[in-house]
């Protein structure tokens, strides 16, 4: 399944619970991009909080998700070294907006699976930013 770059999953400790300017969520994202993608020391300055969404979706008859997700977009003009954690990430693909839109629009006909939350984010927020 293809999805967004990373999920924040803030932990319950002071640095990630701080709410002003969503800095706690941004710190969680910095931690998670290191854990999931091996991107070291990603700066919160590059992150732009968009919104948060509460969604519930069944993946199959047994498994599903019910989460509060923070939608944060990061843009960085520097080369970012990616070293994916094989327990978290199967593949990584860089795409510009045009290619990403085409990828999403043709996913179903190509039998490419997208996570439910990524569809929500893409349809409602990603291309408006």
């Amino acid at each position: 399944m293809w999805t967004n770059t990373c999920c924040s999953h803030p932990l319950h400790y002071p640095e990630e619970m701080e709410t002003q300017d969503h800095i706690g969520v941004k710190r969680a994202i910095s931690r998670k991009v290191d854990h999931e993608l091996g991107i070291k020391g990603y700066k919160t300055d590059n992150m732009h909080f968009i919104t948060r969404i509460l969604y519930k979706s069944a993946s199959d008859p047994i498994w599903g998700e019910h989460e509060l997700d923070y939608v944060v977009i990061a843009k960085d003009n520097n080369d970012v070294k990616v070293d994916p954690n094989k327990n978290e990430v199967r593949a990584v693909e860089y795409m510009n907006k045009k290619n990403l839109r085409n990828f999403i629009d043709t996913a179903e006909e190509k039998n490419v699976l997208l996570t439910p939350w990524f569809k929500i984010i893409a349809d409602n927020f990603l291309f408006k930013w």
Side-chain angles (χ1 to χ4, degrees):
M1 287 189 117
W2 286 91
T3 193
N4 53 301
T5 302
C6 173
C7 292
S8 60
H9 300 298
L11 298 176
H12 195 268
Y13 64 86
E15 292 80 11
E16 293 186 12
M17 298 300 293
E18 195 172 329
T19 59
Q20 186 171 347
D21 298 323
H22 308 284
I23 191 65
V25 170
K26 292 176 182 179
R27 288 175 182 146
I29 292 167
S30 184
R31 174 179 52 78
K32 290 302 288 181
V33 295
D34 180 10
H35 172 245
E36 294 181 13
L37 297 168
I39 299 172
K40 306 287 183 202
Y42 199 79
K43 301 199 179 346
T44 58
D45 304 5
N46 297 335
M47 300 177 196
H48 303 278
F49 174 83
I50 304 298
T51 192
R52 62 185 190 168
I53 58 172
L54 179 63
Y55 81 95
K56 183 178 182 180
S57 177
S59 299
D60 61 36
I62 298 172
W63 296 101
E65 296 212 340
H66 189 190
E67 289 188 346
L68 174 63
D69 282 345
Y70 292 85
V71 179
V72 176
I73 295 178
K75 187 173 183 179
D76 197 325
N77 293 325
N78 299 309
D79 287 334
V80 176
K81 182 182 180 295
V82 177
D83 183 20
N85 176 342
K86 302 300 180 204
N87 293 321
E88 295 284 339
V89 178
R90 183 177 295 167
V92 175
E93 181 84 27
Y94 282 106
M95 294 183 204
N96 63 30
K97 278 186 179 181
K98 180 181 173 188
N99 291 347
L100 180 59
R101 178 81 269 169
N102 183 59
F103 179 79
I104 292 167
D105 290 345
T106 61
E108 191 171 334
E109 68 190 51
K110 293 179 179 179
N111 291 319
V112 173
L113 297 176
L114 303 174
T115 59
W117 60 89
F118 183 61
K119 289 181 201 177
I120 293 169
I121 292 167
D123 290 345
N124 294 287
F125 306 106
L126 187 59
F127 296 102
K128 294 176 185 173
W129 181 73

